[in-house]
Amino acid sequence: MGLFSFFNSKKKEEKEGFEFVTDFKKHLIDNILIVNLPVNWIPYKSDRFRAKTDDEKLQMSLVNYENKEKNNVVLNSQFFKDLKLELYDVFVTEGEYEPYDDLKISDSFITKSFKVDDETQYYYTTARNVNGRLIITDIIVRDIGGYDKKMQPLLQIIGHSMAVK
């Protein structure tokens, strides 16, 4: 049984030395992708896919967009560096975000976290070629409070769960 073959049941995951016991639920995003999110992240109506916890201390948004200029690009770590590192620098220099030392770049995603006032914001970006189209997916989680070292590994599990409908 594969790592992501059963997401609608209670699950114990170990990722980068962290252990998770989380229930996941499948969600259809933009009629393109299916993603598995923790069941306590409850979707609500918005201009894009959004979810939050009951106490509203955690809010996430997920958006897909097509990059028509780079439809036949090879997805690798350089692609993700070019796509996001400059933006992350702008967050720090112009937005006065305080970066955490957790930047991770692979051939399938880039992720980074920032302290912004009284919350922590976690950014995760992945991409895939879908029927000859480059679809980029951004997930942003805003969590009231301090840095949670389990959030980035959880976002990686969520990102790896995404599948084309």
Side-chain angles (χ1 to χ4, degrees), residues 53-150:
T53 54
D54 279 337
D55 61 7
E56 297 190 16
K57 289 187 177 182
L58 182 143
Q59 296 184 19
M60 69 85 65
S61 67
L62 186 151
V63 63
N64 292 310
Y65 60 94
E66 182 177 2
N67 188 331
K68 293 181 180 183
E69 296 171 5
K70 296 184 177 184
N71 273 337
N72 294 315
V73 70
V74 174
L75 299 176
N76 57 29
S77 60
Q78 189 60 50
F79 167 81
F80 289 104
K81 287 177 187 177
D82 293 343
L83 185 67
K84 291 294 176 171
L85 286 183
E86 190 174 300
L87 176 64
Y88 294 163
D89 286 341
V90 170
F91 287 171
V92 173
T93 58
E94 295 178 22
E96 298 183 12
Y97 289 29
E98 295 178 40
Y100 287 100
D101 187 22
D102 68 350
L103 175 67
K104 185 165 184 179
I105 305 168
S106 76
D107 287 342
S108 60
F109 68 88
I110 184 170
T111 187
K112 179 81 180 124
S113 305
F114 301 91
K115 180 178 181 350
V116 184
D117 299 323
D118 63 345
E119 67 185 29
T120 301
Q121 294 183 8
Y122 304 88
Y123 290 79
Y124 176 92
T125 300
T126 189
R128 64 191 33 76
N129 289 301
V130 178
N131 301 323
R133 298 168 46 206
L134 177 62
I135 305 297
I136 299 169
T137 303
D138 284 329
I139 300 174
I140 302 170
V141 174
R142 296 176 53 217
D143 194 2
I144 303 298
Y147 184 80
D148 181 351
K149 65 183 180 178
K150 293 181 181 179

Side-chain angles (χ1 to χ4, degrees), residues 13-26:
E13 283 291 333
E14 192 156 335
K15 177 90 172 151
E16 297 182 15
F18 297 107
E19 188 176 287
F20 299 98
V21 178
T22 306
D23 288 330
F24 289 88
K25 183 176 179 183
K26 294 179 190 251

